[in-house]
Amino acid sequence: SKLVRRKIDLVRTGQGNAGKTIKALDDDDALIVAGTDSPIVPYGLSLVVELQIYVDAGLSPLSALRTATSNAAEALGAGARVGKLQPGLLADLVIIDGDPLTDITDLFNVQGVMLNGRYRTLDELLE
């Protein structure tokens, strides 16, 4: 739309400023937690998009992943029970094709999940 075209430079400036803030917070060891409340992009996709924005801002893929896992658990006060792969902790796993530590967008390649100790394929999840 014309409005978007006229305001796109403002949007890009805002994204750049947000990225600088995220990177500065990460450099200062702030607890950054990914959010998923997107009214436009579906929730699962919006999380991966947000993690990509964090990587674009200068966070490592590992740091970006932590914003959605261990950092989120810690912020909720549940870090002693969830948020990490560690013996004795609760964990459901997303099985992907790829390596998000190399390319965060590999998180789009979901193959299935381990949920309560049972593997479910992507087809089963979408039924």
Side-chain angles (χ1 to χ4, degrees):
S1 83
K2 283 185 177 181
L3 178 61
V4 171
R5 281 193 299 273
R6 287 197 320 247
K7 301 297 182 184
I8 196 66
D9 288 336
L10 180 60
V11 169
R12 288 182 178 135
T13 298
Q15 286 177 323
N17 290 339
K20 290 175 188 171
T21 299
I22 290 292
K23 179 62 175 141
L25 289 168
D26 185 60
D27 289 346
D28 287 341
D29 295 323
L31 185 67
I32 300 169
V33 177
T36 59
D37 53 341
S38 172
I40 298 170
V41 180
Y43 296 113
L45 297 177
S46 70
L47 179 59
V48 178
V49 169
E50 182 161 342
L51 298 182
Q52 178 63 59
I53 290 168
Y54 292 170
V55 169
D56 290 346
L59 273 68
S60 70
L62 179 59
S63 290
L65 283 168
R66 285 182 176 146
T67 70
T69 56
S70 57
N71 289 8
E74 196 65 36
L76 291 171
R81 295 188 329 246
V82 297
K84 296 175 243 174
L85 291 177
Q86 182 177 319
L89 299 186
L90 299 172
D92 295 327
L93 303 173
V94 177
I95 311 302
I96 62 165
D97 181 13
D99 180 4
L101 297 178
T102 302
D103 183 351
I104 199 76
T105 62
D106 280 350
L107 292 173
F108 286 123
N109 303 328
V110 174
Q111 302 299 300
V113 298
M114 285 294 295
L115 181 62
N116 294 324
R118 180 172 168 236
Y119 181 74
R120 296 191 172 126
T121 67
L122 184 59
D123 290 338
E124 287 177 295
L125 295 170
L126 296 175
E127 287 179 345

